[in-house]
Amino acid sequence: LKIVLVGASGTIGKAIVKELGARHEIVAAGSRTGDVRLDITDPVSIRTAYRQIGRFDAVVCAAGRVHFAPLASMTADYYAVGLKDKLMGQVNLVLLGLESINDGGSFTLTSGVLTDDPIVSGSSASMVNGAIEAWVGAAAIELPRGIRINVVSPGVLVESMDKYASFFRGHEPVPASRAALAYSKSVEGAQTGKVYRVL
Ligand SMILES: NC(=O)c1ccc[n+]([C@@H]2O[C@H](COP(=O)([O-])OP(=O)(O)OC[C@H]3O[C@@H](n4cnc5c(N)ncnc54)[C@H](OP(=O)(O)O)[C@@H]3O)[C@@H](O)[C@H]2O)c1
């Protein structure tokens, strides 16, 4: 399969490359790294990148930013970061990718454990992750040509604990290699409309 992997250079992305790269052609994409450059917050750049890539069988997104801060200091502008980046960035990858994805292809997006296991300072992540998961379920029943869509919701990663440990006390971290298996199931399996929780 020809798989467009947005965020291939990241912590999750690198593990996905390891898992899927041996069996498939990976087109690595990122805003500053990769074979193809695209910024998920900029629909024009997504369109341009898809034109460069041509037809493909799958899009996997392991990118998306949100603003972490205590609730009392959150503002509409801070929430807008996550809405524009992690939420609409991933939605736009799907909407704009429909033109170039082959029949029977798949989209795999990323949410995260904070959907239903919130932490202090994570309200934007919880908001956006929940929205992504609801949207994927809805999109799945309308996608044409046998195209599938799923979302992977990883727990905090072992590899990210240096950065995030103080926010995620009591969470059991997940190795990125285990999260990568859920992306494999989504791309190489046959299910659609699923949320794969890797905890
Ligand atoms: N790490 C965790 O513990 C964890 C757990 C659950 C869920 N998640 C979610 O998983 C996703 C990836 O997390 P991560 O920790 O692997 O991130 P990361 O290590 O910071 O990597 C982010 C990746 O996304 C790319 N990227 C960043 N901004 C982009 C943009 N605007 N357009 C296109 N590509 C962009 C980066 O490449 P460039 O620098 O080239 O843009 C990089 O390859 C995030 O949505 C995160 O919320 C992470």
Side-chain angles (χ1 to χ4, degrees), residues 6-14 29-34 37-42 45 61-66 68 85-86 90 110-114 125 129 132 152-161 163-164 168 174 183:
V6 180
S9 67
T11 310
I12 297 185
K14 279 189 280 198
S31 67
R32 296 169 309 167
T33 58
R37 300 295 150 88
L38 68 82
D39 177 350
I40 60 170
T41 66
D42 174 9
S45 83
C61 182
R65 242 165 25 95
V66 301
F68 281 91
D85 198 307
K86 189 167 179 177
Q90 297 198 87
T110 299
S111 58
V113 65
L114 300 183
N129 288 347
I132 294 162
V152 177
S153 174
V156 66
L157 299 176
V158 171
E159 290 82 351
S160 301
M161 282 308 264
K163 255 191 306 183
Y164 297 146
F168 284 88
V174 172
Y183 293 87

Side-chain angles (χ1 to χ4, degrees), residues 41 65-67 76-86 124:
T41 66
R65 242 165 25 95
V66 301
H67 183 78
D77 284 347
Y78 286 146
Y79 283 114
V81 172
L83 295 175
K84 182 171 180 193
D85 198 307
K86 189 167 179 177
S124 174

Side-chain angles (χ1 to χ4, degrees), residues 91 105 167:
V91 168
F167 291 99

Side-chain angles (χ1 to χ4, degrees), residues 85-102:
D85 198 307
K86 189 167 179 177
L87 177 57
M88 287 313 298
Q90 297 198 87
V91 168
N92 280 326
L93 280 175
V94 175
L95 296 179
L96 300 172
L98 275 174
E99 227 171 85
S100 326
I101 194 164
N102 288 327

Side-chain angles (χ1 to χ4, degrees), residues 9 13 23 98 104 106 113 119 137 173 178 191 194:
S9 67
R23 297 185 289 278
L98 275 174
S106 70
V113 65
I119 59 169
R178 204 150 76 70
Q191 300 179 355
K194 297 281 187 191

